[in-house]
Amino acid sequence: MEDLAQLGQRAQQASYSLGLLSTMQKNQVLLAMATALTTQQDEILAANAKDLENPQVPEKFVDRLRLTADRIEAMATGLKQVVALPDPIGNVDRAWRNEAGLMIAKERVPLGVIGMIFEARPNVTVDASALCFKTGNAVILRGGKEAIHSNQALVQVLRGALRANDVDENAIQLITDTSHATAEKFMQLTDYVDVLIPRGSARLIQTVLAKATVPVIETGAGNCHVYVDKDAQLQMATDIVINGKVQRPSVCNATEKLLIHQDVAAAYLPSMIQALRDQGVEVRGDQATQAIVPDVVPATDADWGTEYNDLIIAVKVVDSEAAAIAHINRYNTQHSEAIVTDNYQAGKIFQQRVNAACVYINASTRFTDGFEFGFGAEIGISTQKLHARGPMGLAELTSYKYVIDGNGQVRH
Amino acid sequence: MEDLAQLGQRAQQASYSLGLLSTMQKNQVLLAMATALTTQQDEILAANAKDLENPQVPEKFVDRLRLTADRIEAMATGLKQVVALPDPIGNVDRAWRNEAGLMIAKERVPLGVIGMIFEARPNVTVDASALCFKTGNAVILRGGKEAIHSNQALVQVLRGALRANDVDENAIQLITDTSHATAEKFMQLTDYVDVLIPRGSARLIQTVLAKATVPVIETGAGNCHVYVDKDAQLQMATDIVINGKVQRPSVCNATEKLLIHQDVAAAYLPSMIQALRDQGVEVRGDQATQAIVPDVVPATDADWGTEYNDLIIAVKVVDSEAAAIAHINRYNTQHSEAIVTDNYQAGKIFQQRVNAACVYINASTRFTDGFEFGFGAEIGISTQKLHARGPMGLAELTSYKYVIDGNGQVRH
């Protein structure tokens, strides 16, 4: 078993010097990393080939796992985009003089050491490293065993760029022992790791939540609803539901449920369901939906809490906006929820009462994304209320400290 | 055993309506609570007498536990002070239009349900309830068994004021079964509790951290240092060390360690140590300190990591500022640290490199406090980096949501 305490100690040590780097120094390293990815492409592809040769890799992972020259180029481009982003470290949120005459400044600082736990996508290795580095955080990566050779090669390239720029290479470390026992120990490395960010399947995230003693930022689960109000425009509602469901069904901000007000269900559902079916979507419905469109698949209770991540949607007829809100607050994952309505009151009540990170009026749930929000980056989408909620960019990878200037003040 | 799931469900239900109350409605209830505390003083004092009669209450808890007419009046005054504070709920941190034309507003909302775990001080029941209520959060209180009758009486008074103002009384609930088993179940009530805030001894906080699956805000442990630089003024340094150590030695922002630069140790230590002794402080010292003031108690390795919360201080001579910073970052609890110096560079380097919530130049560590910071309230002092760091006032009891207004946008 790897000596995780030593790994943690090295990360913590590196984090102290990372917090002192200027934005210019950090950007220089990020550009060097981008160049190194391109020049060392052959080594990366060779390592990736080893991963792909492994007969135990499930077929559905092969595409996520595969690296190509284009994909490596995309990683390098991603690094350059991070260079262009403003650095939140050193920003002062506010500063004020207190009654005793102390000048108190609330200054943004790195979180310290971030643990990333993820699955088979090797691009996460580069993305996460870049975002953590730009915010002065050390990162410890624990990727899926399927991608171990690719991840080792990528981390070697990134660490080479750190060394070449006289930056502590332990800013980026990879756990190479991909056993569950080591992963569990990692999740409990409270002396050295400030926060864990799991990225991947609901199962991975639930495991981390159950086993971790290090604080976790819960990400990713999205059982997102669109509620079509009685004052909705049919065409707008159809466009929003179709976009939410079919544009990219495998992701967490995809629409999984359609709630519709009973006053418009009979008029709207036949064409909306037809539009969904035209896109290859399996439509499941409650009894009221079945009464209107008899050939939908009957929905069971289990459907309401399920995130399909697939071309499936469940439809429920509700007798009021209040019933829609109650249903959402009971079954949602606090990710993204939308109402379609032309009624001002209905829209504002929905935004106020629905308990979720992002609540939309008249827009697709698919907009919940760091890039769409204009953050220029995304390390994940938080579904918890503590620290960060919704899309997390660079700002969400920071903490703060109070720096206080006095001239001999003592407390009375 | 109490039905905690039911308790949690009721709190969650209450939290939905609390989030919708206007500031004016909340203030009216807080004023009603203040009045009720005064008018129902006799019932509260009678319940408190029962707690005090318990022969199992340790002598040292008696003073914390005791309520008097004056102390109840102070609680009522505290409630009125919370009325006067600005309400953070509904504040928009920022709002912007994204590329697709969506108007995105980051709006402050309550955390939801807050679990408070504390020990023998019944005033925490009222303080915490007021701060949680003002920020639209439901609170579940779990106080020490020594104060159970007092807490029940206080909560009954507060809930009466909620009912009288047509607010869901489950905004404030007390766990009356004070067994450890129930406390542990409470710490794992992830379906209903959004965050746990333990307040009390280091042992209590460590227990909560170890057992909780609900996110915890770690508070309170303070192994605070004052580093006296070679360019410090002797009198200022002495004043700051004395104030930090003796003004209130039992609290978490008290100074526990004195580090002193070797260049001034021989000149400064004799008078500083004498000043500490004049205040009844036991002074422990490393070998270099012993060489200067031979009759100090020899410090052992265990001293450097210990929070005394008592009239004891340990002194260490360091050969440089870097050594002082390294020592602090190794042994501190990331609470409050101070440097005394007239050297600009030394001060700024200390603030930048010391890993703590509050880093002072030329001021006492005792200033780390929500009231001294001007927050007008304090629910605790966070020693973690996630969500909140340092003194926590009303703003730290909030989360945010993105409310997004569109007119039919879908993602391309």
Side-chain angles (χ1 to χ4, degrees):
Chain A
M1 194 183 277
E2 245 166 322
D3 187 344
L4 285 180
Q6 203 179 58
L7 203 92
Q9 234 161 4
R10 287 194 302 244
Q12 193 177 55
Q13 204 53 46
S15 77
Y16 293 138
S17 58
L18 289 176
L20 304 174
L21 295 177
S22 70
T23 304
M24 221 183 290
Q25 287 172 307
K26 291 187 283 192
N27 285 344
Q28 192 179 343
V29 175
L30 288 166
L31 289 174
M33 289 175 178
T35 305
L37 282 177
T38 311
T39 57
Q40 294 172 59
Q41 177 184 301
D42 293 346
E43 292 91 312
I44 297 168
L45 291 175
N48 185 244
K50 269 198 223 170
D51 285 329
L52 290 169
E53 276 164 20
N54 179 354
Q56 294 186 339
V57 171
E59 190 56 32
K60 63 172 181 174
F61 279 5
V62 168
D63 181 59
R64 297 180 200 173
L65 191 53
R66 188 185 307 281
L67 292 178
T68 62
D70 280 355
R71 286 186 174 183
I72 292 174
E73 195 51 42
M75 288 179 188
T77 306
L79 287 170
K80 289 174 199 161
Q81 285 166 346
V82 175
V83 168
L85 293 176
D87 179 359
I89 300 302
N91 280 356
V92 172
D93 290 0
R94 65 190 194 100
W96 70 99
R97 202 174 283 286
N98 81 345
E99 284 192 359
L102 296 171
M103 178 57 75
I104 304 174
K106 185 179 180 183
E107 184 180 329
R108 287 283 142 193
V109 299
L111 281 167
V113 178
I114 296 176
M116 293 287 310
I117 302 183
F118 53 103
E119 290 170 331
R121 295 180 193 274
N123 62 313
V124 176
T125 300
V126 177
D127 282 2
S129 296
L131 298 178
C132 290
F133 182 73
K134 177 88 181 204
T135 45
N137 292 293
V139 67
I140 302 176
L141 303 154
R142 197 279 187 187
K145 63 178 182 307
E146 300 83 4
I148 185 67
H149 296 102
S150 311
N151 287 335
Q152 281 182 306
L154 290 167
V155 166
Q156 202 179 322
V157 170
L158 301 178
R159 283 166 63 98
L162 290 167
R163 271 196 312 275
N165 285 276
D166 294 324
V167 174
D168 189 336
E169 63 183 345
N170 294 319
I172 301 172
Q173 294 183 92
L174 176 73
I175 297 178
T176 53
D177 168 0
T178 56
S179 69
H180 287 298
T182 297
E184 272 192 36
K185 262 190 89 177
F186 178 41
M187 297 175 205
Q188 300 175 356
L189 213 57
T190 47
D191 283 348
Y192 305 110
V193 182
D194 292 286
V195 58
L196 283 179
I197 306 178
R199 269 180 63 168
S201 67
R203 202 175 132 202
L204 170 79
I205 290 157
Q206 286 310 314
T207 304
V208 175
L209 283 172
K211 305 279 186 192
T213 50
V214 173
V216 177
I217 297 182
E218 198 175 340
T219 64
N223 183 23
C224 306
H225 301 71
V226 172
Y227 164 58
V228 176
D229 187 44
K230 65 182 160 59
D231 296 318
Q233 296 177 29
L234 172 60
Q235 189 56 50
M236 187 194 287
T238 306
D239 291 347
I240 285 171
V241 171
I242 294 289
N243 183 257
K245 181 70 263 175
V246 311
Q247 202 231 6
R248 205 169 162 202
S250 64
V251 293
C252 61
N253 58 18
T255 300
E256 302 287 8
K257 303 293 175 316
L258 165 59
L259 306 180
I260 188 160
H261 194 285
Q262 61 181 10
D263 290 3
V264 292
Y268 282 16
L269 276 184
S271 67
M272 293 180 80
I273 288 174
Q274 190 53 52
L276 284 159
R277 285 174 169 169
D278 288 348
Q279 300 281 339
V281 178
E282 174 186 323
V283 179
R284 303 182 184 178
D286 69 345
Q287 290 201 337
T289 304
Q290 293 165 41
I292 297 164
V293 182
D295 60 345
V296 296
V297 179
T300 67
D301 270 357
D303 278 292
W304 307 122
T306 300
E307 181 181 2
Y308 304 117
N309 289 136
D310 205 346
L311 286 175
I312 305 170
I313 197 167
V315 184
K316 185 183 174 70
V317 177
V318 292
D319 60 10
S320 64
E321 180 186 26
I325 293 170
H327 181 90
I328 291 170
N329 284 343
R330 174 158 177 202
Y331 290 105
N332 81 345
T333 52
Q334 301 194 25
H335 194 296
S336 301
E337 309 296 343
I339 182 174
V340 186
T341 189
D342 276 0
N343 183 299
Y344 176 84
Q345 291 293 351
K348 289 295 154 187
I349 285 172
F350 189 85
Q351 282 182 328
Q352 209 177 12
R353 300 195 179 199
V354 165
N355 185 15
C358 302
V359 190
Y360 295 86
I361 300 176
N362 294 342
S364 167
T365 58
R366 288 275 295 118
F367 281 106
T368 299
D369 174 279
F371 296 93
E372 293 291 334
F373 269 46
F375 298 168
E378 180 183 287
I379 192 110
I381 295 175
S382 164
T383 53
Q384 70 183 35
K385 290 187 188 166
L386 217 62
H387 185 74
R389 205 174 188 198
M392 293 189 292
L394 293 179
E396 287 70 28
L397 293 179
T398 68
S399 179
Y400 56 85
K401 76 181 352 170
Y402 290 105
V403 300
I404 301 145
D405 291 352
N407 50 15
Q409 280 86 349
V410 296
R411 186 162 164 191
H412 297 294
Chain B
M1 196 184 275
E2 245 165 326
D3 186 344
L4 285 180
Q6 204 180 57
L7 203 91
Q9 235 162 2
R10 288 193 304 242
Q12 193 177 56
Q13 204 52 47
S15 77
Y16 293 138
S17 58
L18 289 176
L20 303 174
L21 294 177
S22 71
T23 304
M24 221 183 290
Q25 287 172 307
K26 291 187 283 192
N27 286 342
Q28 192 179 345
V29 174
L30 288 166
L31 289 174
M33 287 175 177
T35 305
L37 283 177
T38 310
T39 56
Q40 293 172 58
Q41 178 184 302
D42 293 347
E43 291 91 313
I44 298 168
L45 290 175
N48 185 245
K50 267 198 226 171
D51 285 330
L52 290 170
E53 275 163 19
N54 180 353
Q56 293 184 340
V57 172
E59 190 56 32
K60 64 174 181 174
F61 279 6
V62 168
D63 180 58
R64 298 179 200 174
L65 190 52
R66 188 185 306 281
L67 293 178
T68 61
D70 280 355
R71 287 184 175 183
I72 292 174
E73 194 51 41
M75 289 177 187
T77 306
L79 287 170
K80 289 175 199 162
Q81 286 166 348
V82 174
V83 169
L85 294 176
D87 179 358
I89 300 302
N91 280 356
V92 172
D93 291 0
R94 65 191 195 99
W96 70 100
R97 203 174 283 286
N98 81 344
E99 285 190 1
L102 296 172
M103 177 56 77
I104 304 174
K106 184 178 179 183
E107 183 179 331
R108 287 284 142 192
V109 299
L111 281 166
V113 178
I114 296 176
M116 292 288 310
I117 301 183
F118 54 104
E119 291 171 329
R121 296 180 194 273
N123 62 312
V124 175
T125 300
V126 177
D127 283 1
S129 297
L131 298 177
C132 291
F133 182 74
K134 177 89 183 206
T135 46
N137 291 292
V139 65
I140 301 176
L141 303 154
R142 197 281 188 186
K145 63 179 184 305
E146 300 82 5
I148 185 67
H149 295 102
S150 311
N151 287 336
Q152 282 182 304
L154 289 166
V155 166
Q156 200 178 324
V157 170
L158 301 178
R159 285 166 62 99
L162 290 166
R163 272 197 312 276
N165 286 276
D166 293 324
V167 174
D168 190 337
E169 63 183 344
N170 294 320
I172 302 173
Q173 294 182 92
L174 177 73
I175 296 179
T176 53
D177 169 0
T178 57
S179 69
H180 288 298
T182 297
E184 272 191 36
K185 263 190 88 177
F186 178 41
M187 297 175 205
Q188 299 175 356
L189 211 58
T190 46
D191 283 348
Y192 306 110
V193 182
D194 293 285
V195 57
L196 281 179
I197 306 179
R199 269 181 61 170
S201 67
R203 205 177 130 201
L204 170 80
I205 290 157
Q206 287 310 315
T207 304
V208 174
L209 283 171
K211 305 281 186 191
T213 50
V214 173
V216 177
I217 298 183
E218 197 176 339
T219 65
N223 183 24
C224 306
H225 301 71
V226 173
Y227 163 59
V228 176
D229 187 44
K230 66 180 159 60
D231 295 318
Q233 296 178 30
L234 171 62
Q235 188 56 50
M236 188 193 286
T238 306
D239 291 347
I240 285 171
V241 171
I242 294 289
N243 184 255
K245 184 67 260 178
V246 311
Q247 201 231 6
R248 205 168 161 204
S250 64
V251 293
C252 61
N253 58 17
T255 300
E256 302 287 10
K257 303 293 175 318
L258 165 59
L259 306 180
I260 188 160
H261 194 286
Q262 61 182 9
D263 290 3
V264 292
Y268 282 14
L269 275 185
S271 67
M272 293 181 81
I273 288 174
Q274 190 54 51
L276 284 159
R277 286 175 169 170
D278 289 348
Q279 300 281 340
V281 177
E282 175 187 323
V283 179
R284 303 181 185 178
D286 70 344
Q287 289 199 338
T289 304
Q290 294 165 42
I292 297 164
V293 182
D295 60 344
V296 296
V297 179
T300 67
D301 271 356
D303 278 292
W304 308 122
T306 300
E307 182 182 2
Y308 304 117
N309 288 137
D310 204 347
L311 286 175
I312 304 170
I313 196 167
V315 184
K316 184 182 176 71
V317 178
V318 293
D319 61 10
S320 64
E321 181 186 26
I325 293 170
H327 180 90
I328 290 170
N329 284 344
R330 172 156 178 207
Y331 290 105
N332 80 346
T333 53
Q334 300 193 25
H335 193 296
S336 300
E337 309 296 344
I339 182 174
V340 186
T341 190
D342 275 1
N343 184 298
Y344 176 83
Q345 292 292 352
K348 289 295 155 188
I349 286 172
F350 189 86
Q351 282 182 328
Q352 209 177 12
R353 301 194 177 199
V354 166
N355 184 14
C358 301
V359 191
Y360 295 86
I361 300 176
N362 295 341
S364 167
T365 59
R366 289 276 295 116
F367 281 104
T368 300
D369 174 279
F371 296 93
E372 293 291 333
F373 269 46
F375 298 167
E378 181 183 286
I379 193 112
I381 296 175
S382 165
T383 53
Q384 71 183 33
K385 290 186 189 167
L386 216 62
H387 185 72
R389 204 174 189 199
M392 295 190 289
L394 293 179
E396 289 69 27
L397 293 179
T398 68
S399 179
Y400 55 85
K401 75 178 359 167
Y402 291 105
V403 299
I404 301 145
D405 291 352
N407 50 15
Q409 279 86 349
V410 296
R411 186 161 164 191
H412 298 293

